[in-house]
């Protein structure tokens, strides 16, 4: 039984839509709109559709609606996958795991709101929430990609701990870079500066907030993972098992350039979002 073409296209569309939801979540954080619905969840300020909502409420409510739709889509995929594939087909397991991690993502988002780890709250515990949310997002994207591969009958080979030690290590490295980036983004959002010199002074001031003192780890980790990934991708250029190695190299270089530009321009929102999108695409290219 062959997976229908429409389902294959759906799997790709679902991945793209998930990326959109993730980026809109970053818009919520960057615009300090996370408390737009108060600490109510899933209702918004205690209502389904609050009358005359403020701009931040619209931003937050839009994220909730789009997130709810993607969760419903992930749930529906479980049942649809059973109808379009034979028993034991990888697409069934892929759809199940995708829904599991999508649910974790939703619960983490709800926790951020309920415990008020949003908007201008500088509580250091927010760093743990942001890190966990980012790590889960990376896993979720990996599950979306796995679902796409399964729908297209692309068989995945389980990694061997001895033979594939480098890509496994780099995978964890990508997640660590993402966590450090999430904390750095929090620092940029909560403690904006007017000059690059002021930003560096914050980073190395022992009295600065922990988010500011930790954000120096992001570029250090990013450079290390980038060098390792470039070397790994270069070894597989032209191989059928790594068809996206050239794209990975290009994305890695672009991501580093955007990161430095983000630093020089003092992290404007549009560039933060660009940095996130390219980072997610880089992660997907690496997994491919």
């Amino acid at each position: 039984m062959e997976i229908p073409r429409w389902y294959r296209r759906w799997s790709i569309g679902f991945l793209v839509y998930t990326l959109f939801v993730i980026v809109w979540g970053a818009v919520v954080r960057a615009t300090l709109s996370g408390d737009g619905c108060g600490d109510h969840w899933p209702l918004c300020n205690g209502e389904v559709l609050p009358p005359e909502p403020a701009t931040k409420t619209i931003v937050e409510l839009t994220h909730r609606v789009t997130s709810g739709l993607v969760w419903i889509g992930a749930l529906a995929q479980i049942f649809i996958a059973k109808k379009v594939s034979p028993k034991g087909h990888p697409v069934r397991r892929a759809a199940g795991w995708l829904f599991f991690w999508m649910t974790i993502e939703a619960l983490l988002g709800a926790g951020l709101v309920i415990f008020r780890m949003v908007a201008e709250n500088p509580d250091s515990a927010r760093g743990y929430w942001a890190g966990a949310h980012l790590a889960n997002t990376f896993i979720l994207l990996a599950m979306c990609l796995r679902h796409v591969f399964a729908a297209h009958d692309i068989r995945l080979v389980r990694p061997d701990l001895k033979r594939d030690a480098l890509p496994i290590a780099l995978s964890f490295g990508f997640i660590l870079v993402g966590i450090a980036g999430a904390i750095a983004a929090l620092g940029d959002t909560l403690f904006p500066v007017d000059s690059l010199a002021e930003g560096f002074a914050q980073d190395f001031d022992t009295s600065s907030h922990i988010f500011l003192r930790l954000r120096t780890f992001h570029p250090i980790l990013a450079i290390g993972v980038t060098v390792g990934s470039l070397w790994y991708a270069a070894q597989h250029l032209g191989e059928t098992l790594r068809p996206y190695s050239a794209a990975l190299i290009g994305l890695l270089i672009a991501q580093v350039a955007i990161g430095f530009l983000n630093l020089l321009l003092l992290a404007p929102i549009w560039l933060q979002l660009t940095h996130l999108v390219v980072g997610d695409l880089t992660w997907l290219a690496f997994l491919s």
Side-chain angles (χ1 to χ4, degrees):
M1 181 178 180
E2 183 178 353
I3 303 297
R5 180 177 296 179
W6 67 264
Y7 189 87
R8 295 181 178 186
R9 291 176 176 174
W10 159 269
S11 68
I12 296 174
F14 189 85
L15 170 58
V16 173
Y17 181 70
T18 300
L19 277 170
F20 166 76
V21 174
I22 291 168
V23 173
W24 194 259
V27 172
V28 173
R29 186 266 308 157
T31 58
L32 301 174
S33 301
D35 61 347
C37 288
D39 57 0
H40 297 86
W41 191 92
L43 297 178
C44 184
N45 291 321
E47 301 175 287
V48 177
L49 290 174
E52 301 181 0
T55 300
K56 65 188 321 186
T57 302
I58 295 173
V59 173
E60 166 65 6
L61 185 58
T62 299
H63 182 54
R64 292 195 184 189
V65 171
T66 54
S67 299
L69 290 174
V70 79
W71 185 87
I72 292 172
L75 175 61
Q77 277 179 167
I78 295 178
F79 300 99
I80 298 172
K82 289 182 179 180
K83 289 186 174 296
V84 301
S85 64
K87 187 175 181 180
H89 194 282
V91 77
R92 295 191 176 194
R93 292 191 297 275
W97 279 112
L98 196 165
F99 176 70
F100 173 81
W101 289 105
M102 187 69 76
T103 301
I104 299 297
E105 187 85 343
L107 292 175
L108 286 170
L112 285 168
V113 172
I114 293 172
F115 294 105
R116 301 182 180 182
M117 296 295 166
V118 292
E120 299 180 41
N121 183 1
D123 194 323
S124 58
R126 189 175 174 183
Y128 294 106
W129 280 92
H133 204 12
L134 188 284
N136 191 80
T137 295
F138 267 37
I139 296 173
L140 174 60
L141 286 174
M143 293 301 104
C144 286
L145 186 64
R146 179 184 179 185
H147 178 246
V148 171
F149 284 172
H152 288 75
D153 288 316
I154 300 174
R155 302 293 174 175
L156 298 176
V157 180
R158 290 189 177 183
D160 183 275
L161 292 178
K162 294 182 179 179
R163 184 189 62 192
D164 301 320
L166 178 59
I168 291 174
L170 288 173
S171 296
F172 284 105
F174 267 99
I175 294 176
L176 286 176
V177 170
I179 291 173
I183 294 174
L186 271 179
D188 293 337
T189 301
L190 296 176
F191 307 99
V193 294
D194 296 319
S195 69
L196 190 59
E198 184 182 350
F200 281 129
Q202 286 181 335
D203 294 342
F204 297 101
D205 185 345
T206 56
S207 63
S208 291
H209 193 281
I210 186 66
F211 296 161
L212 300 175
R213 287 181 280 127
L214 286 177
R215 69 181 174 187
T216 54
F217 287 99
H218 178 57
I220 295 172
L221 288 170
I223 291 173
V225 171
T226 297
V227 171
S229 298
L230 285 172
W231 184 88
Y232 178 68
Q235 307 305 307
H236 297 275
L237 277 173
E239 292 186 13
T240 55
L241 292 178
R242 298 289 299 181
Y244 301 106
S245 292
L248 174 59
I249 291 174
L251 286 167
L252 285 166
I253 295 172
Q255 183 70 333
V256 171
I258 293 170
F260 277 111
L261 187 60
N262 194 49
L263 175 65
L264 293 174
L265 297 182
L266 307 179
I269 292 177
W270 67 270
L271 198 52
Q272 289 186 44
L273 299 180
T274 303
H275 198 33
L276 173 63
V277 171
V278 177
D280 287 342
L281 292 177
T282 304
W283 169 240
L284 291 173
F286 172 78
L287 293 176
S288 300

